[in-house]
Amino acid sequence: MIGWGPTLEADGTTFRLWAPDRDWVTLEIAGGDAVAMTSGPDGWFSAKAPVGAGARYRFRLADDLTVPDPASRAQSGGVHGWSVVVDHAAYEWRTTDWRGRAWEEMVIQEVHVGTLGGFSGVADRLPEIAELGVTAIELMPVNAFGGTRNWGYDGVLPYAPAESYGTPDDLRALVDRAHELGLAVFLDVVYNHFGPDGNYLGAYAKGSFTPKSIPPGAARSRSIRRRSTAISSTMR
């Protein structure tokens, strides 16, 4: 089973990239030595480096082209910048006994994280939201996109929270606070297309797209029109 994204280990971190259109890929570590990645079956490249959580990294595909990890869990410098190794086990959850709420109890308020000051700003507003009788919040898409404010439908790194909104632990803390107040949390997601800014998949994995793919603008418009049918999933 090939892991998706960096894998923390006792003696370092293993990095992987699916780049079937490339003959070579180099792993670059900010402040460290570059590592030539080993080519494996089915277009996978891998390399191990003696770094841990917090390390910034990217992949060099050519002398004039570096790209972030498409499976990045956090970014430094936006969608064109460095990806960041994240230790998901480091956060200590306070609400480990949370088991969700029944669907018939759901009174959902949609929230745009950018307009409320990021994840911490939303967390600060949760008590007054709960006082309204709301029992769940639905965050508009928060994955990394070009710029600092966005409706969320131009995301290009589906696993990395937008840097301008906060860190992965900031998002966890928001969910934790919501659960303390009895609020369920839903995440609005868009998996049917990518935004145009910071979308590097075509540079190394053209097989991710087909000739029938809809141009970015048209896909974005269709997604917005079908907003009411967007798939939501729980955060935990």
Side-chain angles (χ1 to χ4, degrees):
M1 179 67 178
I2 295 177
W4 185 237
T7 301
L8 281 168
E9 302 167 9
D11 57 346
T13 301
T14 296
F15 301 86
R16 299 179 181 87
L17 177 69
W18 185 61
D21 300 334
R22 292 287 167 169
D23 295 325
W24 60 269
V25 179
T26 299
L27 169 68
E28 294 188 344
I29 304 293
D33 296 329
V35 181
M37 301 188 75
T38 301
S39 176
D42 302 320
W44 284 95
F45 289 81
S46 64
K48 190 170 186 176
V51 298
R56 296 184 299 152
Y57 69 100
R58 64 188 181 187
F59 301 115
R60 182 167 293 279
L61 306 182
D63 291 341
D64 60 349
L65 179 61
T66 58
V67 300
D69 188 349
S72 171
R73 267 52 171 186
Q75 286 295 111
S76 175
V79 295
H80 303 286
W82 297 85
S83 298
V84 182
V85 178
V86 175
D87 182 0
H88 298 290
Y91 184 85
E92 295 185 9
W93 291 95
R94 301 186 301 273
T95 54
T96 55
D97 58 345
W98 173 262
R99 295 296 181 269
R101 300 190 66 134
W103 279 110
E104 58 268 22
E105 298 176 357
M106 294 296 177
V107 179
I108 303 174
Q109 176 171 323
E110 186 175 40
V111 175
H112 188 294
V113 177
T115 64
L116 293 180
F119 299 129
S120 61
V122 175
D124 290 341
R125 300 289 293 272
L126 289 179
E128 60 187 281
I129 290 175
E131 288 179 3
L132 295 174
V134 172
T135 60
I137 60 171
E138 178 184 354
L139 305 181
M140 293 183 70
V142 300
N143 58 296
F145 47 74
T148 58
R149 294 292 182 271
N150 195 289
W151 281 68
Y153 301 105
D154 287 337
V156 291
L157 297 172
Y159 308 110
E163 188 178 356
S164 60
Y165 291 174
T167 67
D169 278 353
D170 291 334
L171 177 54
R172 292 185 178 96
L174 164 58
V175 174
D176 233 357
R177 181 59 178 141
H179 290 170
E180 287 177 336
L181 295 169
L183 295 169
V185 180
F186 293 88
L187 183 63
D188 186 359
V189 297
V190 179
Y191 292 146
N192 64 320
H193 67 85
F194 294 98
D197 186 23
N199 182 359
Y200 291 102
L201 281 176
Y204 54 86
K206 294 184 178 66
S208 300
F209 306 97
T210 72
K212 295 181 180 180
S213 295
I214 300 173
R220 186 161 60 254
S221 298
R222 184 177 70 172
S223 178
I224 293 174
R225 288 197 303 271
R226 295 185 177 179
R227 173 66 186 80
S228 61
T229 61
I231 299 174
S232 296
S233 60
T234 55
M235 285 297 300
R236 289 179 61 191

